[in-house]
């Protein structure tokens, strides 16, 4: 069955979620692909608790907007998603901007909760669809949140992986380096290297990212899309070609 | 009401998903406020961008400034580059923590995370200590950051309704209660005023803020728009998209402002 | 449900004005729990006194134990004198602060007051430092007390209702939310279970606690009695007065217990 | 007009409230006399905000039971009331008990919020109807909350006065001592000295506590009682001889 890139990425992320024990996932507002991945796991039968931030009806928080951070501080969030205007080979992320602090060249919106969530979540999946030397850099201009921490700093988790429009990287916090896990159809180790600004390891036998199965695609386009229509109408229209009832 | 906020005041303004009083922000523009120091709760949105665009803002202390689906905040970015705006970058739970320290009447509170972030490196007002409590990490004491209490002069937000006793109802948007507690004064626009006392109604009470924190209330129907107000009305994406396009340039912002701020007054919030 | 609370567990139990689950306290007595370490939120009442009387409690960490209008808590006083109970005295905001530190996932939080009180002198787990922030007092840094986070194993309370999604509704008694956040597990008795999802109702949501914190729910009608439950029923002064008279002696307590705990089971909370 | 002791004490406290600027008073659960005093000020026209703790309907707090302490931490409570199993000449209060810590001889219920409220309220009126050497001692067995604080401790306020069934003492935080302000009808400086376990100063010209005026008594028995019937039915029945409608 043919599929859209977003569907492939959602399936990639869903596989990463299922690769480790996961009870509670929080998904940010601007994250339809991670949200689709989390819903896919739920619809595949995983007993997951999803907290969808900025969901207008049924917003999960009753203690104001600090509750997500308190919840994460308590160690109850097993998995969070982060992106970045820049991401570097040590999994540092930059949501501040480029040029002199605080982003005098290009200013991104700001760090949001990253400088806390990246440490205090059980683990983080980094997701950035654009895969270019502009985004995946050797060294971020500014660190909103670091990929690893010095001794003496309380840190519950690190990046598990980085999923882009071209490949999946695994992150190794002990080494502070990414390794290529798989490249998407149409890419190769060489094309990934050409489009990536940081060095990464290439294990033996790295191959193509498996395509979504028919069952996965059917779930995404059916039950997952049903759940997402209210919060992400544009995404559902574009990717799944479905519109919410008026 | 905007007249009571002096130039230079530190003003806490919640973002688009947390019932900002856009009506009062527009009134501040009309009264040509200057030198405001805005506090994001914990981030900043549309109301902050228009205040910056109109030259009302000297400084913003926040975790992000964004128009959500409509993208980057154009007047914020422009002012930052022009060097007319001091930006103190934070991270969301740090904003909450600094406000909660003020709420609790303590001079500081600790927060994990942060260490190794350039946010911390650029906050000389934050301090890393060795925690006297908590786990030993690698045989030594945990390093942890202490953040000072942040006391805004004024909290400005919108609420669904006020009652006869001057209590206001914000429902699940309890961060509005925190800024009301942390701030010297709170100025609130509301959709409507109703008879009775929310505090005597077990169903309404948990989403109410006691009148003791509220210095002023004004009716401003649809006063959060284009931001959303709980189940009363949604985020007006088209309006904010149109703003984002217009406000790409200073001239475009001025034109937008002439039409949407000066021509369309919500007199109640003056 | 009481069966899931192991001997020796640290259990947060709210006082009479804050919807304790007396039903679950009685179930703990019936299962002959031992060595419980009770946490007052921030004080302790009837439920704590009967648990102490029945020999379930090794330690109580609280700001006061009282039966309100019915006077001193007789079994608490007797156990303290007999030396069978460790009492860690605190002051109300210190209990809140220690629980909020756990809620926020920080190892400690500061609190003013305390210095010069014998409460502090008897709390080797608290620590006075010079505050790096805040006003200079008499030219020197303010002395302030740091309190460690308190992480109960189980929060036990009563709620008005639960919904189909496992959320519970406690209304204005938000300290129940704090202990739910601070504790590993929360066990909640409710008057009733209703259809729907409180989180999707803007009116009910502010008084709700998300199912993510709740490990177990059991229906126990009038499960807070003799304590009050919001506007559902009041404090049963006569019942507590009768208890206070009976429980003056160990034999009187045993008799009261035989009649009111063992003969009158609320099976749901077992 | 004849009056009950509780009425005299309420009027004494109301006069102490009005002696200093007061916007917001918090009154504890077990305090019908201070509550009556605060209501009397309100009914006399003072623009006071009253927070009556443990009031069942219309409880003022919507942020749980910590809100009183947060509110006081913020500096918004101008006046609070405290009692004590023992009170000593330095205005130290003991709510713990006597004998070895934590009250092995006589155990009182505990310190409640006193070890915070006494420092952080704008001021405190101490109230204890029993005036005997057992209660008013030279030195409390244990300090729940101290009357004065060492340098370097943040303290917003102290005791303004101690009102008992026999007299009114003023407190002088600079001296750490009480002085007799007035004695109630039937008492004298000597009788107060005999019944007080601590030393206190007696200024020139100390006299009898003025009796409640007819206007004060009328307000207490009318409008004040109306407000108190729900929260303090027993007190209203006993003192004002009025019962709540069934």
């Amino acid at each position: 069955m043919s599929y859209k890139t977003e569907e492939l990425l959602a399936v990639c992320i869903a596989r990463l979620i299922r690769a480790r024990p996961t009870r509670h996932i929080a998904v940010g507002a601007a994250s339809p692909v991670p949200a689709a991945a989390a819903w896919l796991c739920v619809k595949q039968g995983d007993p997951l608790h999803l907290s969808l931030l900025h969901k207008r009806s049924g917003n999960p928080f009753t203690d104001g907007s600090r509750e997500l951070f308190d919840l994460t501080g308590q160690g109850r969030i097993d998995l969070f998603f982060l992106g970045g205007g820049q991401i570097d080979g040590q999994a540092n992320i930059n949501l501040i901007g480029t040029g002199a602090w605080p982003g005098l060249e290009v200013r991104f919106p700001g760090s949001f909760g990253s400088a806390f969530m990246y440490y205090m979540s059980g683990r983080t999946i980094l997701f950035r669809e654009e895969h270019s030397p502009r985004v995946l850099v050797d060294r971020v201009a500014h660190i909103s949140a670091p990929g690893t921490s010095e001794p003496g700093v309380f840190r519950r988790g690190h990046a598990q992986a980085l999923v882009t429009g071209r490949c999946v990287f695994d992150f190794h916090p002990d080494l502070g380096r990414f390794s290529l896990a798989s490249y998407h159809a149409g890419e190769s180790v060489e094309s990934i290297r050409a489009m990536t600004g940081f060095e990464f390891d290439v294990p033996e036998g790295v191959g193509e990212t498996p395509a979504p199965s028919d069952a996965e695609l059917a779930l995404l386009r059916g039950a997952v899309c049903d759940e997402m229509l209210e919060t992400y109408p544009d995404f559902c229209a574009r990717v799944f070609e479905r519109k919410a009832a008026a | 009401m905007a007249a009571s906020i002096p130039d230079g005041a530190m003003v806490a303004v919640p973002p688009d998903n947390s019932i900002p009083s856009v009506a009062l922000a527009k009134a501040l523009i009309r009264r040509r406020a200057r030198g405001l120091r805005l506090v994001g709760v914990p981030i900043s949105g549309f109301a902050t961008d228009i205040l910056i665009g109109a030259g009302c803002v000297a400084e913003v202390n926040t975790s992000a400034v964004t128009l959500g689906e409509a993208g980057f905040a154009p007047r914020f970015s422009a002012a930052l580059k022009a060097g007319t705006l001091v930006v103190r970058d934070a991270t969301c739970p740090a904003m909450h923590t600094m406000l909660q320290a003020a709420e609790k009447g303590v001079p500081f509170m600790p927060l994990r995370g942060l260490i190794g972030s350039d946010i911390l490196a650029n906050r000389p007002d934050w301090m890393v200590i060795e925690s006297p409590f908590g786990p030993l990490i690698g045989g030594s004491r945990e390093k942890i950051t202490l953040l000072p209490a942040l006391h805004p002069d004024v909290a400005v937000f919108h609420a669904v309704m006020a009652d006869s006793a001057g209590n206001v109802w914000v429902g699940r948007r309890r961060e509005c209660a925190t800024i009301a507690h942390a701030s010297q004064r709170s100025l609130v626009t509301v959709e409507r005023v109703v008879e009775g006392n929310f505090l005597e109604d077990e169903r309404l009470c948990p989403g109410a803020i006691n009148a003791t924190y509220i210095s002023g209330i004004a009716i401003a129907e649809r006063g959060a728009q284009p931001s959303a107000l709980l189940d009363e009305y949604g985020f007006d994406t088209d309006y904010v998209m149109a703003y984002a396009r217009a406000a790409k340039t200073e001239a475009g912002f001025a034109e937008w402002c002439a039409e949407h701020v000066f021509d369309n007054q919500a007199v109640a919030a003056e």
Side-chain angles (χ1 to χ4, degrees), chain A residues 68 137 206 241:
Chain A
L68 167 67
V137 297
V206 161
E241 285 159 28

Side-chain angles (χ1 to χ4, degrees), chain B residues 16 20 22 26 46-47 50 222-229 233-240 243 256:
Chain B
D16 293 312
V22 174
K26 288 183 173 178
F46 176 79
I50 64 172
R222 306 185 85 76
Q225 273 199 333
S227 301
L229 177 62
Y233 44 84
F235 184 70
D236 188 343
T237 311
D238 293 342
Y239 185 93
V240 179
Y243 167 78
W256 182 92

